[in-house]
């Protein structure tokens, strides 16, 4: 059953540029930074933070005193009496928080909710877990980001291994992956045309980056940081990371930092919050799935099928597709499963190119999906992506005239 009374007011969303690991945002507490950006974006739209009766925070990497979750950044941005909660589904967090927010709105628990996503892969915490029964009382430690990227808690394999496994499952060649990667870079260049006109539909550029105490300006970002020029010749020179494999450092994504957010509300509130009230943006379907062990990039396939079924449409009805693609493998597998053109999805950009700060990754992709549908005159859009634990989530949006 699709959601019937849930909208994203057009234009009531934003994203920061994404920056490379150890880049220009590495010094900022990600929750405080999300609140800092949200406060500015709400003021830009003349939206009073006290309008929110609920908030959802998507965050996957612990920050200092992140124990309270959503209430802290909500208070920081001016929503001092707004309750909320935090969600982590690693790379699928963007879709998961939208589902949580849509559920609250649809069932009447909230009228207007702020859905925030933020993460900083840079300088991820090194966590110590006490163990009184350990040798000498010694516990265990982990680097929360990179240890888990390299060591699946169930199978012990790396994320990279899942990409190689799915490449074998779908008979995907190195040549296919490099061709798709070049196409994704070309599509990203379309977002930079006319002085970054597409990105400026949802991104405030240039963006002032504050110092850690948020009192002064540290630097200025003019766009995403960490996007490297990509050519087929350059990709072909790279060796596979695993012996006999097809995944290289060129046809997979890179860790990043940033945040993104959307406002979600009941339909009767959407027009007052939209920058263009005549445009209607609905969330009408979600899907989740889990594939077999160590086959993470295949999970979005079944998740997409379930999201389309919930929305009551078929893939042929979809006008635009955006994916979280940590590996180019993801896109090729999805295209083969649905018999669609892999070169036509992910117009204007994707995580393969602009990076992967985890929590905000899917959120930015969905924001870009909405804007692409607006430029196309409306229609259905599908976002889908994988996450750790061999899981995937998908979201169907519909853009139409009111």
């Amino acid at each position: 059953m699709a959601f019937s009374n849930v909208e994203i007011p057009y234009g009531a969303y934003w994203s920061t540029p994404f920056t490379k690991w150890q880049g220009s945002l590495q010094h900022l507490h990600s929750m405080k930074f999300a609140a800092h950006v949200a406060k500015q974006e709400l003021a830009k739209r003349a939206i009073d933070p006290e309008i929110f009766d609920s908030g959802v925070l998507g965050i996957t990497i612990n920050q200092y005193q992140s124990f309270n979750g959503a209430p802290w950044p909500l208070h920081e941005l001016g929503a001092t009496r707004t309750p909320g909660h935090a969600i982590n589904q690693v790379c699928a967090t963007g879709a998961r928080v939208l589902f949580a927010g849509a559920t609250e709105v649809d069932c009447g628990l909230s009228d207007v909710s702020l859905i925030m996503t933020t993460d900083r892969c840079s300088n991820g915490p090194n966590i110590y877990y006490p163990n009184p029964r350990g040798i000498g009382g010694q516990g265990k430690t982990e680097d929360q980001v990179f240890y888990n990227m390299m060591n699946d808690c169930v199978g012990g394999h790396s994320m990279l291994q899942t990409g190689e496994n799915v490449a074998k499952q779908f008979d995907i060649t190195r040549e296919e992956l490099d061709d798709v990667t070049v196409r994704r870079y070309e599509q990203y260049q379309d977002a930079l045309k006319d002085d970054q006109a597409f990105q400026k539909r949802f991104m405030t550029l240039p963006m002032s980056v504050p110092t850690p105490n948020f009192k002064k300006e540290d630097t200025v970002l003019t766009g995403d940081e960490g996007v490297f020029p990509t050519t087929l010749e350059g990709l072909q020179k790279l060796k596979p990371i695993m012996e006999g494999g097809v995944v290289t450092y060129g046809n997979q994504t890179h860790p990043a930092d940033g945040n993104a957010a959307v406002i979600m509300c009941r339909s009767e509130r959407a027009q007052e919050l939209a920058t263009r009230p005549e445009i209607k943006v609905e969330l009408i379907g979600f899907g989740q799935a889990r594939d077999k062990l160590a086959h993470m990039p295949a999970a979005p396939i079944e998740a997409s099928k379930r999201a389309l079924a919930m929305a009551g449409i078929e893939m042929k009805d979809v006008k635009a597709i955006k994916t979280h693609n940590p590996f180019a493998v993801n896109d090729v597998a999805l295209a083969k499963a649905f018999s669609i053109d892999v070169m036509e999805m992910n117009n204007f950009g994707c995580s393969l190119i602009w990076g992967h700060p985890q929590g905000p990754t899917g959120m930015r992709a969905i924001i870009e999906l909405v804007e692409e549908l607006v430029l196309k005159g409306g229609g259905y859009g599908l976002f889908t992506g994988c996450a750790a634990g061999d899981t995937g989530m998908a979201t169907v949006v519909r853009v139409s005239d009111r």
Side-chain angles (χ1 to χ4, degrees):
M1 179 179 174
F3 291 97
S4 59
N5 189 24
V6 180
E7 293 190 30
I8 297 174
Y10 177 75
Y13 41 72
W14 55 86
S15 174
T16 67
F18 286 178
T19 62
K20 63 184 179 181
W21 181 76
Q22 299 296 93
S24 296
L25 301 181
Q26 65 163 311
H27 61 287
L28 293 171
H29 187 291
S30 65
M31 289 170 63
K32 286 186 173 183
F33 184 42
H36 174 81
V37 172
K39 189 173 183 178
Q40 293 181 329
E41 294 292 341
L42 292 171
K44 180 180 175 181
R45 294 162 177 78
I47 296 175
D48 186 343
E50 293 186 357
I51 196 174
F52 302 117
D53 52 16
S54 180
V56 184
L57 173 68
I59 183 170
T60 76
I61 301 169
N62 292 349
Q63 298 287 274
Y64 181 69
Q65 283 204 306
S66 58
F67 182 82
N68 282 3
W72 185 11
L74 286 167
H75 189 280
E76 291 273 314
L77 62 87
T80 59
R81 300 294 295 274
T82 303
H85 65 284
I87 288 178
N88 171 7
Q89 197 184 337
V90 202
C91 320
T93 298
R96 177 62 68 180
V97 293
L98 285 177
F99 175 77
T103 302
E104 288 189 1
V105 172
D106 196 52
C107 74
L109 190 61
S110 67
D111 286 334
V112 184
S113 184
L114 180 60
I115 317 297
M116 302 172 287
T117 54
T118 186
D119 263 320
R120 189 187 72 192
C121 288
S122 298
N123 310 314
N126 292 289
I127 303 173
Y128 177 77
Y129 301 96
N131 180 13
R133 295 187 177 183
I135 298 175
Q138 190 174 23
K140 293 182 178 180
T141 63
E142 68 170 354
D143 180 296
Q144 190 182 25
V145 180
F146 287 104
Y147 183 81
N148 288 291
M149 293 287 185
M150 300 301 296
N151 298 274
D152 181 82
C153 57
V154 177
H157 53 270
S158 66
M159 298 285 185
L160 173 63
Q161 185 65 64
T162 72
E164 292 291 356
N165 291 346
V166 173
K168 290 179 181 178
Q169 178 184 353
F170 286 87
D171 296 319
I172 298 171
T173 66
R174 164 73 182 273
E175 290 72 26
E176 287 178 286
L177 298 182
D178 287 350
D179 286 345
V180 168
T181 302
V182 171
R183 172 61 178 157
R184 297 293 176 259
Y185 180 74
E186 292 172 347
Q187 290 167 305
Y188 178 77
Q189 301 313 301
D190 290 335
L192 306 182
K193 291 179 179 177
D194 302 321
D195 191 29
Q196 297 166 276
F198 180 80
Q199 291 183 344
K200 287 180 177 178
R201 296 172 75 93
F202 61 90
M203 190 182 291
T204 297
L205 295 172
M207 188 190 81
S208 174
V209 177
T211 54
N213 63 4
F214 294 89
K215 294 185 182 299
K216 297 180 181 179
E217 182 176 271
D218 183 77
T219 188
V220 175
L221 284 173
T222 58
D224 296 311
E225 177 186 87
V227 177
F228 298 96
T230 303
T231 64
L232 186 59
E233 294 74 22
L235 290 171
Q236 289 172 339
K237 294 177 182 179
L238 299 175
K239 294 181 179 180
I241 302 170
M242 298 183 70
E243 184 79 25
V246 293
V247 178
T248 70
Y249 285 115
N251 59 38
Q252 65 171 305
T253 190
H254 58 275
D257 305 332
N259 62 72
V262 306
I263 293 173
M264 187 180 295
C265 64
R266 297 180 68 79
S267 295
E268 57 266 24
R269 304 296 300 274
Q271 288 179 273
E272 67 182 271
L273 299 170
T275 57
R276 291 179 60 186
E278 73 276 11
I279 297 175
K280 187 175 185 179
V281 182
E282 300 171 278
L283 291 162
I284 61 170
F286 290 90
Q288 62 179 348
R290 185 175 183 179
D291 215 289
K292 58 187 175 182
L293 184 65
H295 284 72
M296 179 182 71
I301 296 169
E302 182 61 31
S304 297
K305 292 177 182 178
R306 295 176 184 181
L308 293 169
M310 183 179 182
I313 64 172
E314 298 178 7
M315 185 63 86
K316 64 181 178 61
D317 301 313
V318 174
K319 192 179 274 190
I321 299 172
K322 297 284 278 193
T323 67
H324 162 47
N325 41 12
F327 306 104
V329 169
N330 289 56
D331 287 357
V332 179
L334 185 76
K336 289 188 175 185
F338 284 99
S339 298
I340 55 179
D341 187 350
V342 71
M343 299 301 187
E344 293 302 314
M345 63 178 76
N346 282 315
N347 293 313
F348 300 106
C350 58
S351 57
L352 182 67
I353 302 301
W354 34 248
H356 180 28
Q358 297 191 173
T361 305
M363 184 70 82
R364 173 172 170 175
I366 291 168
I367 290 170
E368 291 194 0
L369 177 62
V370 169
E371 290 294 356
E372 181 180 353
L373 289 170
V374 170
L375 291 174
K376 289 183 173 182
Y380 294 101
L382 171 70
F383 164 76
T384 189
C386 63
D390 302 302
T391 66
M393 282 205 72
T395 305
V396 176
V397 301
R398 179 170 57 200
V399 173
S400 60
D401 294 330
R402 193 172 297 281

